[in-house]
């Protein structure tokens, strides 16, 4: 009696019932150099992820050949850091390309579930003060709680709402709003915004804005570039500086804000699935957003583990589209007053 092909496991078709390829790869059998070159991270980091995600990835199954959490994590890291499902990656750990895809989906969702654990603003006063002190040490800008900017990640054209994801360069993308600290640790990451939305609109609609206007830190601010509007909690550069104090303010602002650009380069360099060099993310906007967020979680975990050397600029094709904006700073008179007070107090 013929067995319907749909019920056969992809790995079973590829390797046969008696071939225990899923057990052949062991972390202890390879060097750190191999792990870093193939999966982007050293053994200690990978073992930490196995401990962190193992329970979630070890779902009950009727299959005797269920893929281990360790193998799922290696498969996902291989994709995140190379941007490819090529057979070579699957062969290294003994699974098919279809199984690679399932592993990436499983690990991505497990990381997204833990995003709030690793990406958040500090809450206790001592940590907040340390955050401000570290920023002040960069270029003398006081009261900074984080630097904010947007970056685009290319995705395939979605089936629905196609035009909403077309950015100013005519490419389909997600516009991702992120905030980082002075070391590049992400404090906020909203990765789901359609690429057609300009940065100022993204911020206007973002949870970040609601967070700062209703809950957070009345004694500090974020730094944003001129694509954003000046707010009491968001300091932007002066459009046309005239006095020495205004020039000093703009220079300190630029030197401090540059941290977010370096962070974007580091993330793209470490996670090549985001840099465009292997093409666009071949997923729906929702799944692509989750992959980006998963990479953000891994970025923060890597910094916790001391993997914090700034990377060189990525060579991918997806650059942030230049925004056209109109200066509207005078609309918020209170924000103008806060910035003027900052100028007089710290830069005059």
């Amino acid at each position: 009696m013929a067995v319907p092909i749909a019920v056969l496991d992809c790995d079973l078709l590829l390797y046969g019932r008696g071939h225990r390829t899923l057990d052949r790869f062991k972390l202890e059998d390879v060097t750190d150099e191999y792990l870093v070159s193939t999966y982007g991270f050293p053994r200690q980091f990978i073992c930490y992820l196995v401990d962190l995600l193992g329970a979630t990835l070890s779902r009950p199954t009727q299959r005797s050949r269920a893929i281990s959490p360790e193998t799922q994590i290696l498969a996902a890291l291989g994709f995140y850091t190379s941007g490819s499902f090529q057979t070579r990656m699957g062969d290294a750990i003994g699974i098919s390309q279809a199984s690679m895809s399932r592993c990436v989906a499983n690990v991505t969702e497990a990381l997204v579930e833990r995003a709030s654990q690793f990406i958040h603003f500090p809450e206790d006063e001592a940590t907040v003060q340390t955050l401000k002190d570290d920023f002040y040490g960069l270029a003398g800008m006081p009261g900074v709680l984080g630097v904010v900017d947007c970056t685009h990640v290319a995705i395939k054209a979605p089936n629905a709402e196609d035009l909403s994801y077309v950015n100013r360069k005519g490419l389909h993308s997600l516009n991702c709003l992120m905030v980082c600290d002075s070391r590049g640790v992400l404090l906020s990451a909203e990765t789901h915004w359609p690429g057609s939305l300009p940065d100022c609109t993204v911020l206007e609609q973002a949870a970040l804005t609601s967070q700062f206007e209703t809950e957070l830190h009345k004694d500090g601010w974020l730094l944003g570039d001129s694509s954003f509007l000046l707010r009491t909690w968001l300091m932007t550069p002066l459009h046309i500086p005239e006095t020495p104090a205004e020039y000093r303010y703009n220079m300190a602002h630029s030197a401090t804000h540059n941290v977010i650009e370096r962070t974007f380069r580091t993330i793209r360099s470490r996670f090549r699935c985001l840099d465009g060099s292997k093409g666009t993310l071949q997923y729906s906007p929702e799944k692509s957003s989750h992959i980006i967020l998963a990479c953000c979680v891994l970025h923060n975990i890597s910094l916790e583990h001391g993997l914090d050397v700034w990377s060189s600029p990525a060579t991918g094709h997806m650059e942030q589209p230049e925004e056209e904006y109109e200066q509207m700073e005078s609309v918020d008179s209170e924000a103008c007053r806060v910035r003027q007070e900052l100028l007089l107090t710290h830069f005059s």
Side-chain angles (χ1 to χ4, degrees):
M1 177 179 175
V3 178
I5 191 70
V7 305
L8 295 178
D9 181 85
C10 294
D11 298 308
L12 182 60
L13 287 171
L14 187 63
Y15 298 114
R17 185 174 299 278
H19 195 75
R20 293 180 58 80
T21 52
L22 296 183
D23 297 325
R24 76 183 183 188
F25 187 92
K26 300 294 183 183
L27 283 177
E28 58 267 24
D29 293 338
V30 296
T31 64
D32 263 0
E33 289 74 16
Y34 173 81
L35 291 173
V36 171
S37 64
T38 307
Y39 305 105
F41 293 96
R43 186 185 327 274
Q44 183 180 8
F45 182 88
I46 295 170
C47 290
Y48 172 83
L49 291 181
V50 173
D51 290 340
L52 178 70
L53 307 178
T56 302
L57 298 175
S58 299
R59 295 187 175 92
T61 176
Q62 298 299 316
R63 296 169 50 208
S64 61
R65 294 172 55 81
I67 302 175
S68 69
E70 180 180 279
T71 300
Q72 292 184 62
I73 288 167
L74 289 173
L77 291 179
F79 169 71
Y80 297 147
T81 58
S82 73
S84 174
F85 280 129
Q86 290 179 350
T87 305
R88 180 186 65 82
M89 185 66 67
D91 284 348
I93 50 179
I95 62 175
S96 66
Q97 183 170 316
S99 292
M100 279 278 295
S101 181
R102 291 197 299 273
C103 292
V104 170
N106 292 342
V107 174
T108 295
E109 291 311 305
L111 288 168
V112 167
E113 288 173 5
R114 290 161 175 78
S116 61
Q117 177 182 345
F118 294 99
I119 303 175
H120 56 82
F121 283 92
E123 296 181 356
D124 63 281
E125 292 185 10
T127 308
V128 170
Q129 187 58 51
T130 299
L131 183 66
K132 294 179 183 179
D133 293 343
D134 289 344
F135 271 120
Y136 187 78
L138 293 179
M141 180 69 77
V144 179
L145 299 166
V147 289
V148 59
D149 208 346
C150 288
T151 188
H152 287 252
V153 175
I155 63 171
K156 73 173 183 178
N159 295 325
E161 299 182 72
D162 182 74
L163 293 180
S164 68
Y165 291 93
V166 178
N167 62 39
R168 293 182 56 80
K169 289 190 174 183
L171 304 173
H172 291 87
S173 69
L174 290 169
N175 195 2
C176 305
L177 178 72
M178 301 187 193
V179 180
C180 74
D181 70 10
S182 62
R183 279 204 312 131
V185 175
L186 295 174
L187 306 175
S188 177
E190 299 185 35
T191 60
H192 61 283
W193 297 102
S196 65
L197 294 180
D199 293 359
C200 60
T201 303
V202 168
L203 182 63
E204 173 117 9
Q205 299 178 11
L208 179 70
T209 294
S210 174
Q211 197 175 20
F212 266 80
E213 290 188 343
T214 62
E215 301 173 18
L216 279 180
H217 314 305
K218 304 301 183 182
D219 56 345
W221 38 72
L222 303 178
L223 296 188
D225 64 19
S226 297
S227 63
F228 300 114
L229 298 179
L230 180 70
R231 301 170 185 260
T232 56
W233 50 268
L234 177 65
M235 294 293 103
T236 60
L238 287 133
H239 183 45
I240 304 176
E242 297 177 347
T243 68
E246 291 175 345
Y247 276 102
R248 285 191 289 269
Y249 166 85
N250 270 14
M251 289 178 63
H253 188 292
S254 177
T256 307
H257 188 266
N258 185 53
V259 172
I260 191 75
E261 299 300 332
R262 296 169 68 193
T263 300
F264 288 157
R265 291 197 298 268
T266 296
I267 292 172
R268 290 181 184 278
S269 181
R270 179 170 282 155
F271 303 107
R272 303 308 292 267
C273 68
L274 307 182
D275 78 353
S277 64
K278 299 291 185 180
T280 63
L281 284 174
Q282 296 297 303
Y283 298 91
S284 68
E286 181 181 8
K287 289 184 178 179
S288 295
S289 169
H290 285 187
I291 288 174
I292 300 166
L293 185 55
C295 290
C296 291
V297 173
L298 288 172
H299 168 76
N300 274 11
I301 296 175
S302 70
L303 293 182
E304 284 188 6
H305 282 73
L307 306 176
D308 56 355
V309 177
W310 292 106
S311 301
S312 58
T315 57
H317 309 296
M318 192 60 195
E319 301 293 338
Q320 181 174 342
E322 293 183 2
E323 297 285 353
E324 293 181 1
Y325 56 89
E326 180 181 356
Q327 293 297 124
M328 298 174 59
E329 298 174 352
S330 61
V331 170
D332 190 337
S333 59
E334 179 61 16
C336 289
R337 185 197 65 76
V338 171
R339 188 172 63 180
Q340 188 62 30
E341 183 177 330
L342 177 60
L343 278 162
L344 294 173
T345 304
H346 295 278
F347 296 97
S348 295

